[in-house]
Structure formats: structure tokens, C-alpha cells
Amino acid sequence: MKTVVTTLNAKYIHTCLALRCLKAYAEPEFPIEMVEYTIKDPVMNIVSDLFERKPDVIGFSCYIWNIEETLKVIEMLKKVMPEVKIVLGGPEVSYDTKDWLEMTPDADFIVVGEGEETFKQLLEELSTTAKYHMVFGLAYRKGEEVIINAPRPKLKLEEVPTPYRFDEDLDGLSKRVTYFETSRGCPYSCQFCLSSIEVGVRYIDIDRVKSDLLYLIENGAKLIKFVDRTFNIKRDYALEIFQFLIDNHQGCVFQFEITADIMRPEVLSFLNEHAPKGIFRFEIGVQSTNDATNELVQRRQNFQKLTRTVTMVKEGGKIDQHLDLIAGLPEEDYNSFRNTFNDVFALRAEELQLGFLKMLRGTGLRLRADDHNYVYMNHAPYEILSNNILPFSDIVRIKRVEDVLEKYWNAHRMDTTVEYLVEKVFDSPFDFFQEFGDFWESKGWSRIGHQLEDLFTRLYQFLEARSMPNLDFIKGLMMIDYFKNHKHKPRKTWWGFSLPKEQQSAILRRLAEAPEQVNEEFSSLKLNEKELHKHTMIEVLPFSLKSYLEDGTIEATEELLIAYFNPKVEKSSLYTAPLHSMAVH
């Protein structure tokens, strides 16, 4: 009996930990072949590939991002391989299981919940006596009747084999994301989250965790994402793992989901002192700062302590932070969400993800959707369309915020400019992103692609249309951001040069003759006139950059901006000098 386990990942770089857990548990009694596709792969290609493998059993790992495409695949598979047994598992089909079997006649079995032991026992029955009623955690059909067996007791994690040491994964460790678990379960009861359904947290032995991590690191893993719902819930365990990774990282990056308001200051001080810069990333689910909303979804959160944690991490400068928000939670109307956004944006995390509530099967919020008049998509990802206080029109507007937030803040293409706009020009950060998002939509830009230059010209068009004061100053900030975005000298700029070619040449000649007039660092580059022509760009700023960066003062003076693109290190460096010192007027 040949068995294949598969899934459709969101992207090629992703990997599915569930498949590896199933394979590790079932072998050696039942050899398992793993194969992964993406949701962008044509259905015919997936079916053709699976057909060529000639399996007797195919198990699919199902999630909200892949269920619609998965159903298309299995429907076609059953037409060309009517004898193959189709097994579904994963969080998307572990709830409303009876409905799934009634809606999906091409699926033969559903593994409900934790799947390793159930799947292995199912393979035993498929290869022997077919007594499916003996398999805890299994759902199947008996004639026209849907049978759902009793749930399976939770696995003892110390008895689960490691899923991280398959030879076929070695080549991809440096190219793909490795997902890693040290625990299962969540101590919290957030009603919008599937993790709230499983009570209690179980841990994998820490010595095995260290051994597996070291194996992955030494075999070339570059990015390991921990899937633990709250990595830091057990402080001593988390600290020991942090220390181990600090000692053994070898350049690998590690991402954790943490609960920020329970992070102790001494842990943060330890990380700020000992963690190498860039090897840790924290993902923090804030979701809402509205106390009434948090109470309704049974989410315990101390925003003051969360702020302390995010601030300490940011001041340490070692760890990037990704903060999550959810629009559409109960009793969070447009104005309340605006407040939430501004509260969280004020923390200036490296990334702020604005998501929309998804009414996941099995969650308390979906079961009580009528309490708040929720209207949501019938199909995955079950995203909210409206509720009693947030109409669809407001959701559409907030989606425009999300669009420009991704392009202009999370991508860090214009940090200097955006910082000025949200602090000095608009009433709040949310208002900037909302007004710009509305303008973006009115121009139809959401339906066309963009290059880097387009992002600058479109922001400038928006500011012009708004008759923005200090537009020349803002344009200068945008020039600075534009140069920072390039590792090599750009072939063009989004603005017209302010200096004629003759004057540019004269300035570059002067810079070659007297580089010390810029500063000592620039002089140490020892660039001749030919190198300056090849690797630098110059512009005129209508203000003193140094004064602005030091104390926010906008000093009206013309200053020469020199952008040097160092080909040896693929890095741009910016210098300024008083324009008059170049003696080119």
C-alpha cells in the first residue's frame, strides 16, 4: 500500500510541519512519501503529478488558505483515480466535520484534531481489517451515514518521533522556512482563535528540542519559525532556548510568537545584552486596545505592560518586531479601530500587520456570530463583511489603509518621509494612511502594478493634490529615502534634477579636489573625479539635514546632498555639505 501525504502551501518557500509529523509517526511500519505544492500551481499539474506517483492513499493537510484549491484537486483525482483513498486532516476540516463529509463526497476520511496516531491507525485498518470504528479521532461514511468516532486522547509528546531529520529536506533547509514546535496548546481563550479550543500546554523535552535545532542549524537552516502559540509562557524554558540559540545560531534567524505583556523586564534586558543583532524576530498579537472588545473575546491583555515590552525591545536594537491588529472584532467600530491603530503605530514596531477578522470554524466568535450580527464570507477564509457597528463601507475604507500601510510603512521604503507626515502634518498616523489610501483608490492605482519610482511619484501627487505646506521640504525627505533604497546608483530619479549638468560636473570636480569640506569619512573614501561621476549622485536640499535629524528643526538653508553608492559593499551612504562651500554659484 503506497501512501502519499501532501498539501498546498501559500508559497514555495513555506513548508508543512504537519506532513513531517505524520511521516515520522507512521514510519517505518508505513513508508510515507511527502510532496508539497502551492496554491498557485495549476490543479491539472498537481493531479498529474499525484497520478504519476500511483498512490493507494493520499492525505491532504487542509487550512483556510488552501481548502478551496484542495477541493478542486481531490474532485479531479477521484475522476482519474476512483479507487484511491482520500484522507483530509488539519484545522480547516477538524470542525464541522459532518458538514465537510456531506459536502465533499470525494473525501473518504477525515482525521480530526491531532493527527499522527489517528492517521497511522487508519493506515493499519486500510491495510488489514477495515474496522474504521476502532480508530479514535476518525470521521468517515458508512453507506449514506456519516460516522464520527470518539476523539483521541492527546499524544504524549515525548513519544512523538522528531519530524526534522528527513534526508529529502536537507537540500531545502537554506532556501525555505522551517517550522518548529516546542509545545502544543495555548493557555488563553481568545474567541477568534482556534488555539483557544485546546486547553492546556504540553511541552517537548528541552534536550530533544536543542538537539533538533542544532541539527537544523548545522545542516544549513536559515530561517526557523516557532509555531508555539505563546513561546514565552514558560519563562525558564524560553530563556534556556534563547540562550541555546544565542550560543549556536550560526547566522540562522528565529521567529517567535510571544505574549508581550507577560515578558519580564529581566528577560528583555538579557536579550538586549546578549542576543546578536538580527537573529531573533518577535511576532506580537495586539489585535485591539479597546478594553470592552478584549473582554468580549475573552482576551486578557495589559497594554501598558505590552508597551513596556515593545519599547524595551526596540530600544535594545537587537530584535525586529511584528505587531498584529484585527479589524472587525466585536464592538470595535471605525473610530475605535482608528484609536487602536494609532495606539499601536505609536510603538513604531518594524512591521504592523493590519488583518481582518476571520470567522474560523470551531471558534467561539463564529458560534456566537448572531450576537453581533456578523456577516461573513461563506467560503474560506470566512472574512468578515460587516457586523452590527462596522458596515461594509467602513471595512472597504480600512482595507485601503492596509494597502498603503504595506507599501509605505512595512516595506520601509520611506521611513524618513512617513515619520514626518504622521507626526507633523496629519492629525494621526491612521488619518495619513486613510487619506492616502482613499486617494490611491480614486486614481485606480490598486488595479495596476508599480515600480519603486511609482511609489514616490504617487505619494508626491497625493501631497500636491492636498496643497501640502512645506512641499519642497517633504520632497527633500523623499529624495533622501529614494537614495537609501538603492544599493547601486539608480539610472533615473522620480524628480527632475535641480542642477544643470555643467554645475553637477563642477561640483564633482570640487569634491574630488577637496573632499575634506564634506567630512572626514567622505574624505577617507579617496574618490577621484571619475569614480564620483560613476558612483555618486548630487542634489540640493532646501534645508539642513543635520539640524532636522538632530532636533527636528527645519532650517531654511540650501545644502548639497551627496549620495555615494559603494559597489564594494552594495550600500548607499548619504553626506551633506553647505552648497556655498563648493564654490559653484
Side-chain angles (χ1 to χ4, degrees):
M1 185 175 73
K2 182 174 181 179
T3 303
V4 171
V5 292
T6 187
T7 196
L8 281 64
N9 294 319
K11 297 179 181 179
Y12 167 75
I13 61 168
H14 297 169
T15 53
C16 181
L17 178 57
L19 302 186
R20 288 153 178 84
C21 290
L22 294 173
K23 178 179 172 69
Y25 200 88
E27 292 183 338
E29 294 92 332
F30 298 98
I32 302 286
E33 185 176 335
M34 287 190 304
V35 57
E36 294 174 275
Y37 308 99
T38 77
I39 55 175
K40 298 294 185 183
D41 291 335
V43 170
M44 176 61 81
N45 291 8
I46 298 172
V47 172
S48 300
D49 186 67
L50 289 169
F51 179 84
E52 292 296 327
R53 295 171 189 271
K54 296 180 172 56
D56 300 294
V57 180
I58 307 177
F60 288 88
S61 193
C62 304
Y63 306 86
I64 57 169
W65 63 79
N66 71 13
I67 186 63
E68 299 301 324
E69 292 303 305
T70 299
L71 293 176
K72 296 175 187 175
V73 170
I74 65 174
E75 180 183 20
M76 193 181 297
L77 271 173
K78 275 292 192 177
K79 289 181 177 180
V80 297
M81 304 174 69
E83 300 305 316
V84 72
K85 296 298 184 184
I86 300 292
V87 186
L88 306 183
E92 177 57 14
V93 295
S94 286
Y95 305 94
D96 299 338
T97 306
K98 184 175 184 289
D99 294 342
W100 276 117
L101 280 174
E102 290 175 344
M103 293 186 300
T104 317
D106 298 309
D108 297 291
F109 305 95
I110 291 180
V111 170
V112 180
E114 205 167 35
E116 291 99 329
E117 193 172 4
T118 301
F119 188 66
K120 182 177 181 179
Q121 191 179 349
L122 172 60
L123 294 180
E124 290 172 355
E125 293 302 328
L126 282 168
S127 61
T128 56
T129 58
K131 294 181 179 179
Y132 306 129
H133 64 282
M134 302 289 289
V135 184
F136 289 148
L138 185 70
Y140 62 100
R141 288 187 205 82
K142 188 174 182 180
E144 295 298 315
E145 184 184 4
V146 171
I147 307 293
I148 301 178
N149 293 342
R152 182 173 295 277
K154 293 176 184 177
L155 282 168
K156 295 179 180 178
L157 295 186
E158 63 271 16
E159 297 175 0
V160 177
T162 176
Y164 307 109
R165 300 186 184 232
F166 296 117
D167 291 342
E168 57 262 48
D169 281 335
L170 291 177
D171 287 344
L173 283 179
S174 63
K175 307 178 190 74
R176 305 178 73 186
V177 180
T178 300
Y179 293 90
F180 194 96
E181 65 177 356
T182 69
S183 65
R184 294 185 184 179
C186 181
Y188 299 108
S189 304
C190 306
Q191 294 297 288
F192 51 82
C193 180
L194 284 176
S195 299
S196 65
I197 298 171
E198 181 180 347
V199 179
V201 182
R202 293 166 290 153
Y203 284 86
I204 297 170
D205 178 73
I206 197 164
D207 290 328
R208 194 187 102 176
V209 167
K210 291 178 181 178
S211 176
D212 284 339
L213 285 169
L214 193 59
Y215 172 86
L216 293 169
I217 293 167
E218 289 181 342
N219 280 282
K222 296 301 180 187
L223 175 58
I224 296 176
K225 288 190 176 183
F226 288 75
V227 298
D228 309 85
R229 304 311 298 164
T230 303
F231 180 78
N232 61 315
I233 192 69
K234 195 174 180 181
R235 185 180 49 161
D236 292 344
Y237 190 100
L239 256 179
E240 192 169 341
I241 298 297
F242 285 145
Q243 181 67 70
F244 179 80
L245 296 177
I246 289 169
D247 294 339
N248 296 282
H249 64 89
Q250 297 182 34
C252 186
V253 175
F254 310 93
Q255 182 167 317
F256 308 89
E257 290 189 34
I258 69 161
T259 298
D261 58 353
I262 65 169
M263 202 76 152
R264 298 289 290 272
E266 56 266 31
V267 175
L268 300 172
S269 297
F270 166 81
L271 291 172
N272 284 343
E273 182 178 351
H274 297 287
K277 181 177 174 60
I279 73 161
F280 292 152
R281 297 177 187 168
F282 285 168
E283 182 174 345
I284 300 168
V286 184
Q287 320 312 8
S288 174
T289 61
N290 183 320
D291 289 338
T293 293
N294 284 328
E295 186 174 341
L296 281 168
V297 296
Q298 298 180 34
R299 180 174 180 79
R300 300 195 306 273
Q301 180 169 266
N302 185 318
F303 188 67
Q304 184 177 355
K305 290 183 177 179
L306 182 150
T307 299
R308 178 191 66 190
T309 292
V310 174
T311 302
M312 282 189 69
V313 171
K314 187 167 182 64
E315 289 173 348
K318 300 288 190 69
I319 300 169
D320 283 352
Q321 298 177 97
H322 167 119
L323 273 54
D324 290 327
L325 298 180
I326 297 179
L329 291 171
E331 302 309 312
E332 178 103 280
D333 63 9
Y334 181 86
N335 289 326
S336 172
F337 185 76
R338 176 182 179 272
N339 293 336
T340 283
F341 184 99
N342 288 327
D343 288 342
V344 178
F345 192 88
L347 302 179
R348 295 301 193 272
E350 284 72 23
E351 186 172 352
L352 175 58
Q353 180 172 317
L354 195 173
F356 293 81
L357 178 64
K358 294 172 178 57
M359 305 293 280
L360 301 178
R361 293 176 182 273
T363 59
L365 210 50
R366 178 165 173 145
L367 294 172
R368 293 184 291 279
D370 290 345
D371 292 354
H372 304 280
N373 296 332
Y374 272 111
V375 178
Y376 55 92
M377 301 173 182
N378 287 336
H379 299 284
Y382 314 113
E383 194 169 283
I384 175 183
L385 300 174
S386 65
N387 66 20
N388 59 325
I389 60 172
L390 193 70
F392 184 65
S393 57
D394 284 346
I395 288 176
V396 169
R397 291 198 70 203
I398 296 172
K399 280 189 175 290
R400 297 173 192 162
V401 173
E402 177 196 25
D403 189 23
V404 292
L405 177 74
E406 286 295 318
K407 292 179 175 70
Y408 286 86
W409 180 257
N410 290 339
H412 295 288
R413 293 182 173 109
M414 298 187 208
D415 286 356
T416 309
T417 305
V418 172
E419 187 65 41
Y420 175 77
L421 292 172
V422 302
E423 281 294 313
K424 305 294 185 183
V425 178
F426 288 81
D427 290 341
S428 77
F430 184 87
D431 294 307
F432 162 68
F433 290 110
Q434 184 68 84
E435 287 190 39
F436 187 22
D438 291 344
F439 185 82
W440 186 283
E441 180 63 27
S442 73
K443 294 294 184 181
W445 293 335
S446 60
R447 292 177 286 281
I448 59 177
H450 58 266
Q451 302 294 327
L452 179 66
E453 294 80 17
D454 298 325
L455 294 175
F456 283 84
T457 56
R458 289 170 185 173
L459 176 60
Y460 194 73
Q461 280 183 250
F462 165 61
L463 299 176
E464 275 189 315
R466 202 177 182 271
S467 301
M468 186 68 63
N470 283 345
L471 191 55
D472 284 345
F473 168 75
I474 298 170
K475 182 179 178 181
L477 295 180
M478 293 174 70
M479 290 176 183
I480 291 165
D481 282 328
Y482 187 75
F483 286 142
K484 285 179 179 178
N485 268 279
H486 290 83
K487 295 178 180 178
H488 303 286
K489 181 179 176 179
R491 294 182 179 181
K492 61 179 180 177
T493 61
W494 58 272
W495 69 92
F497 286 112
S498 57
L499 296 170
K501 286 187 177 180
E502 298 79 8
Q503 197 172 7
Q504 290 184 50
S505 296
I507 290 176
L508 292 176
R509 186 163 54 250
R510 181 65 175 154
L511 288 172
E513 294 168 353
E516 68 279 357
Q517 292 196 11
V518 178
N519 63 25
E520 187 177 336
E521 181 187 345
F522 184 78
S523 182
S524 69
L525 297 173
K526 297 180 178 170
L527 301 172
N528 58 39
E529 190 175 346
K530 182 179 179 182
E531 290 171 322
L532 285 166
H533 273 280
K534 188 175 182 181
H535 297 302
T536 64
M537 297 184 77
I538 54 175
E539 255 301 341
V540 176
L541 291 178
F543 61 93
S544 167
L545 180 60
K546 182 179 179 182
S547 297
Y548 175 69
L549 294 178
E550 285 182 350
D551 56 20
T553 302
I554 302 176
E555 187 178 313
T557 178
E558 284 195 329
E559 192 169 66
L560 185 69
L561 175 65
I562 306 154
Y564 169 57
F565 302 90
N566 190 337
K568 295 179 181 178
V569 294
E570 293 191 346
K571 181 183 177 184
S572 63
S573 300
L574 302 183
Y575 304 91
T576 58
L579 189 60
H580 63 79
S581 69
M582 296 297 107
V584 293
H585 285 290

